[in-house]
Amino acid sequence: MAGNGFFDPNRKILCLFDVDGTLTAARQKIDPELDRFFQQLRHQVKIGVVGGSDYSKIAEQLGDGDEVIHKFDYVFAENGTVQYKDGRLISKQAIQNQLGEELLQELINFCLRYMGLLKLPKKR
């Protein structure tokens, strides 16, 4: 650990952690002791969090407002389609932008038809 309180410039290891069900109980705030541990660990390795929720939900669980993008080196929201690095938004992807509306609707319709044909013990 850098003795001066700053990050080791040679941090080459990235540790990624899932939010819901790993760092926190689903939709709950992070334990303050675990939060302190991550801030100490961050001096030695790069830390990132990954969640399926949007950024605002992750922020509710791991900090207050935009504090989260400064507490972690990387934040990957919405299953990695929204990416922050060193406190800045670096990329935001949306499936509809990649596929286009027509192809996206075909995909959704295919999935819905497929799910409708699944045999389940009980359907409700």
Side-chain angles (χ1 to χ4, degrees), residues 115-116 118-124:
M115 288 187 286
L118 291 174
K119 280 278 195 194
L120 301 173
K122 292 183 180 183
K123 278 190 180 180
R124 301 215 173 12

Side-chain angles (χ1 to χ4, degrees), residues 92-107:
K92 186 173 186 173
Q93 300 294 318
I95 192 169
Q96 62 266 33
N97 295 343
Q98 300 298 315
L99 297 180
E101 185 62 30
E102 187 175 329
L103 188 55
L104 179 59
Q105 283 196 30
E106 285 181 35
L107 174 63

Side-chain angles (χ1 to χ4, degrees), residues 25-119:
R27 303 281 188 221
Q28 300 298 310
K29 287 201 168 279
I30 191 169
D31 180 275
E33 190 174 328
L34 183 58
D35 193 29
R36 283 190 297 275
F37 169 76
F38 278 121
Q39 296 315 302
Q40 292 172 348
L41 181 64
R42 191 171 174 217
H43 289 275
Q44 298 172 356
V45 299
K46 293 182 181 189
I47 301 287
V49 292
V50 181
S53 299
D54 62 18
Y55 176 78
S56 65
K57 294 287 187 213
I58 292 173
E60 283 176 20
Q61 292 174 265
L62 301 181
D64 295 314
D66 283 337
E67 175 187 52
V68 171
I69 58 173
H70 301 291
K71 286 172 62 175
F72 298 93
D73 299 289
Y74 293 88
V75 176
F76 299 103
E78 299 178 39
N79 295 311
T81 61
V82 178
Q83 303 129 26
Y84 293 87
K85 178 182 179 189
D86 299 325
R88 292 189 328 244
L89 178 67
I90 58 172
S91 180
K92 186 173 186 173
Q93 300 294 318
I95 192 169
Q96 62 266 33
N97 295 343
Q98 300 298 315
L99 297 180
E101 185 62 30
E102 187 175 329
L103 188 55
L104 179 59
Q105 283 196 30
E106 285 181 35
L107 174 63
I108 290 169
N109 289 340
F110 170 82
C111 293
L112 290 172
R113 278 192 304 273
Y114 179 80
M115 288 187 286
L117 296 173
L118 291 174
K119 280 278 195 194

